[in-house]
Amino acid sequence: MADALGGGFKDPVFSSQAVFRRLLDALSRPGRVVDMPRLVAPPPPLKPAAAAVLAALADADTPVFLDKALNASGEVRGWVGFHIGAPIVVVPARASFAVIADPAAMPPLSEFGLGTEQYPDRSTTLVVQVAGFSRGLNLWLSGPGIEDVAGVQVEGLPARLVEEFRANRTLFPRGVDLVLAAPSAILGLPRSTRIMGEA
């Protein structure tokens, strides 16, 4: 548990603002890879970029879901509790934020909080760890924030998640938002984004 006490933001205000600006950039321009400086040093299998996003967004009033790989680590649970103070929940639909270390084994998107017609913002934002953005699954994206079509590559994203995200978009304005987090970069997939196809 000692590892959980270290590895947080050295300057919480400055670091949170820096991460939040990058997150807004990624979500407002879907498909654009945004570099994320190493501002935290979480215990594995939680990676730095995903941990930084969670630390910038979550707090004591936002329940967090950790997937099986993360929840099995007492160090990760301790890090979240010590540095963020967010309660950890085991039911995906109850989470404001979810962090996924093993995308192949993650619950279906439909099991997370999808919001309501009156309060679509009461949905889950998922931070999904991936290996990188230089190879892997090729996707073509369109929608708000994309001038025409954006082509992206994601390594470590299961193909089934593409179909689930397409179904998620049909729920708009309800639905979940995704932040794909490589070790040192992020890519936003808000619910308004359309995955047109795979190359």
Side-chain angles (χ1 to χ4, degrees):
M1 189 61 71
D3 289 345
L5 303 182
F9 287 143
K10 289 190 172 80
D11 183 334
V13 174
F14 175 82
S15 297
S16 292
Q17 291 175 344
V19 172
F20 194 68
R21 283 194 299 270
R22 287 170 170 79
L23 183 62
L24 285 180
D25 190 17
L27 289 171
S28 63
R29 300 179 184 183
R32 177 178 179 175
V33 176
V34 177
D35 290 337
M36 182 68 71
R38 188 183 179 98
L39 297 172
V40 293
L46 185 59
K47 300 294 178 61
V53 170
L54 184 64
L57 292 180
D59 58 31
D61 296 318
T62 54
V64 170
F65 172 85
L66 302 176
D67 74 352
K68 185 175 181 180
L70 294 171
N71 199 44
S73 168
E75 287 77 17
V76 170
R77 294 196 313 273
W79 189 91
V80 171
F82 183 79
H83 292 288
I84 301 172
I88 296 173
V89 296
V90 296
V91 178
R94 295 182 181 171
S96 298
F97 301 100
V99 187
I100 307 298
D102 183 4
M106 68 182 285
L109 295 183
S110 60
E111 291 188 9
F112 291 92
L114 301 175
T116 66
E117 293 293 337
Q118 294 79 18
Y119 301 102
D121 57 313
R122 294 181 181 174
S123 61
T124 306
T125 297
L126 283 83
V127 183
V128 182
Q129 294 186 169
V130 296
F133 303 113
S134 60
R135 59 182 180 177
L137 194 63
N138 292 287
L139 304 175
W140 298 104
L141 311 176
S142 67
I146 301 172
E147 186 172 345
D148 185 13
V149 176
V152 299
Q153 290 183 299
V154 185
E155 184 180 1
L157 193 69
R160 72 163 173 95
L161 201 57
V162 173
E163 290 306 317
E164 290 178 18
F165 191 77
R166 285 177 176 147
N168 177 71
R169 189 184 183 281
T170 66
L171 302 174
F172 190 84
R174 299 167 61 231
V176 300
D177 299 315
L178 270 63
V179 178
L180 306 183
S184 60
I186 60 173
L187 184 150
L189 286 179
R191 69 194 76 177
S192 59
T193 302
R194 178 186 292 108
I195 297 180
M196 298 174 60
E198 302 168 47

